Amino acid sequence: MMLRPHIAYRLGQLHIEEVALERIARRYGTPTYVYSRAALSEGFRAYADACRGHDALVCYAVKASSNLAILQLLAHLGAGFDIVSAGELERVLAAGGDPAKIIFSGVGKTAAELGRALEVGIGCFNVESFSELHRLDAVARDARARAPVSLRINPDVDPKTHPYIATGLKDTKFGIPIEDALAAYREAARLPHLEVVGIDCHIGSQLLEEEPLIAAVDRLTGLVDRLELEQIAIRHIDVGGGIGIAYQAEETVAVGSFVKRVLARIADWRRARHGGSPLRVLFEPGRSVVGNAGLLLARVEYLKPGHEKNYAIVDAAMNDLLRPSLYEAWHEVVPFQEGQAGAKRWDVVGPICESGDWLARDRELSLAEGDLLAFLSAGAYGMSMASHYNSRPLAAEVMVDRDTIHEIRAREPISALFAQEKLLPLTR
Ligand SMILES: *Cc1c(COP(=O)(O)O)cnc(C)c1O
């Protein structure tokens, strides 16, 4: 039975591509994040293939999953990158990403981060406030450079998703409100060390409907019309990311047809109003590229059946996979052996000292201590949100390529947990 692309039971045992997950657990231990190279490549190609024949660039949102090998594979497939910190910038460079295809988003870029990004020659700064325009202009002046900028516009459309991941409404911290956009562009055009190149938005994450995304694109194109009346030329339009994935068989936006619809809509608008001068189109997908290409592998430590609830305590926890605790996210949990009889209802929890440390609730599973479990659709915002809470070392990560397992992050040794810490010179 196929559970996700390239994740299936074969002869009753859970496999990712041609590798049994049991083999991975034996060799690398648990908890371990496991990715499929084929699923990851297909996730990216869904965008890239739909862009073929257009002037378009797919900038993978690094924060979704930022392991160097994942970035390297995506760069190899032609991806650009959407970054939000100096750390992500250095990751992309270390993975061989092309600086010219990097765009830098985020509301709080420091002067040092702006300076470093300018120094390596990134493609565009997605600026989110008037203050940031001035800071970037000053940084560029000191570097004797001109910084390419796009303004992140908050189009005030409701993406209909979880409030923590809605970013395009009026009352969020993100972007420049659309009613202030003209003033912000005039300011950007006036500043001598900035070069206006684009316009962007990103309205939220895990979006299951395309209409809000299309509405946002229409607001941006309307704004470009007004900018062009003032001789402020825009060379690219960046529609952001946000397309959701099926965690629980939800109906999702089909990436290929969505991308083609956006490209056609933008091309039609250009033809109608501007006699054909084309605009480059950028996409910033994260979750929809990697989400279903990864799983978290864990082992059952203890079973604790109770009067009210049955608890299965596993060796992964909220520090490894935060999404359930953070936004009550639902991850499908599947056992290593297919379809055992004698199921009970279990809450699958971690060992951390928080009642919020749960990974899955009220799941019908047949479990024994020592069993392996896989938490599916954990490729995005899984490892990249992991922490050391309770002094737990970060999990290992492996990438499966047909019948080969590549370790792409070694399990963190305990000594690394406090390697940067220092004792006091206690003399009394
Ligand atoms: C997080 C983020 C993305 C990616 O969002 P997904 O929902 O993972 O596709 C894209 N652009 C910006 C600015 C982001 O902050």
Side-chain angles (χ1 to χ4, degrees), residues 61 63 82 105 152 202 205-206 241-242 284-287 381:
K63 74 178 189 292
D82 174 34
S105 301
R152 176 171 176 179
H202 172 70
S205 199
Q206 185 54 16
E284 303 174 349
R287 189 190 313 266
Y381 306 103

Side-chain angles (χ1 to χ4, degrees), residues 10 56-57 76 103 115 117 128 130 141 173 181 194 220 233 278 290 307-308 338 361 364 396 411:
R10 291 184 174 199
L57 180 64
H76 174 71
I103 54 180
E128 304 217 13
F130 281 78
R141 181 195 60 220
K173 69 177 175 181
L194 302 184
L220 293 193
V290 281
H307 301 291
E308 301 293 324
E338 187 173 19
R361 281 176 169 161
E364 205 157 297
R411 184 174 307 287

Side-chain angles (χ1 to χ4, degrees), residues 114 127 129-141 184 187-188 190-194:
L114 294 170
V127 171
S129 64
F130 281 78
S131 295
E132 187 188 337
L133 279 177
H134 291 124
R135 179 179 285 182
L136 180 57
D137 183 61
V139 168
R141 181 195 60 220
E187 188 73 355
R190 192 183 66 75
L191 291 168
H193 303 282
L194 302 184

Side-chain angles (χ1 to χ4, degrees), residues 311 313 316-319 322 325-326 348-359 361 387 389-390 392:
Y311 289 103
I313 299 157
M318 66 189 283
N319 75 299
L322 183 62
S325 307
L326 187 60
V348 185
V349 303
I352 284 184
C353 309
E354 298 275 348
S355 296
D357 179 28
W358 58 275
L359 295 170
R361 281 176 169 161
S387 78
Y389 190 38
N390 275 215
R392 291 168 51 84

Side-chain angles (χ1 to χ4, degrees), residues 92-313:
V92 170
L93 298 176
D98 176 358
K101 291 189 192 170
I102 296 177
I103 54 180
F104 196 167
S105 301
V107 293
K109 306 174 195 82
T110 66
E113 287 178 316
L114 294 170
R116 174 66 178 149
L118 201 55
E119 178 185 52
V120 304
I122 69 160
C124 188
F125 293 84
N126 287 356
V127 171
E128 304 217 13
S129 64
F130 281 78
S131 295
E132 187 188 337
L133 279 177
H134 291 124
R135 179 179 285 182
L136 180 57
D137 183 61
V139 168
R141 181 195 60 220
D142 292 349
R144 296 200 169 82
R146 265 186 109 195
V149 300
S150 162
L151 298 189
R152 176 171 176 179
I153 302 305
N154 184 337
D156 193 28
V157 298
D158 184 354
K160 305 198 183 114
T161 186
H162 190 284
Y164 283 15
I165 48 180
T167 55
L169 275 167
K170 251 193 181 130
D171 60 351
T172 68
K173 69 177 175 181
F174 298 99
I176 294 169
I178 191 151
E179 58 269 28
D180 301 338
L182 276 177
Y185 268 103
R186 286 180 194 131
E187 188 73 355
R190 192 183 66 75
L191 291 168
H193 303 282
L194 302 184
E195 182 179 12
V196 173
V197 297
I199 187 166
D200 67 283
C201 71
H202 172 70
I203 62 170
S205 199
Q206 185 54 16
L207 309 185
L208 296 175
E209 292 173 30
E210 64 185 68
E211 292 319 316
L213 291 159
I214 297 293
V217 171
D218 289 347
R219 298 224 166 153
L220 293 193
T221 57
L223 196 52
V224 172
D225 284 335
R226 283 156 67 194
L227 293 171
E228 288 180 339
L229 290 177
E230 302 196 16
Q231 320 314 320
I232 297 175
I234 298 294
R235 282 182 250 152
H236 78 242
I237 180 161
D238 172 353
V239 305
I243 291 185
I245 61 169
Y247 287 96
Q248 198 172 2
E250 298 93 329
E251 201 147 335
T252 55
V253 173
V255 167
S257 63
F258 167 74
V259 167
K260 286 183 184 155
R261 184 177 169 195
V262 168
L263 292 170
R265 201 172 182 90
I266 290 175
D268 288 348
W269 156 69
R270 293 309 280 178
R271 261 195 300 276
R273 303 239 189 116
H274 301 271
S277 81
L279 273 185
R280 170 171 254 212
V281 181
L282 270 54
F283 296 87
E284 303 174 349
R287 189 190 313 266
S288 50
V289 173
V290 281
N292 275 328
L295 59 82
L296 174 61
L297 188 60
R299 200 179 280 285
V300 177
E301 290 285 345
Y302 296 103
L303 292 180
K304 198 171 169 185
H307 301 291
E308 301 293 324
K309 272 184 178 284
N310 300 312
Y311 289 103
I313 299 157

Side-chain angles (χ1 to χ4, degrees), residues 80-94:
F81 296 93
D82 174 34
I83 60 164
V84 294
S85 70
E88 289 190 350
L89 173 60
E90 298 304 333
R91 280 183 178 276
V92 170
L93 298 176

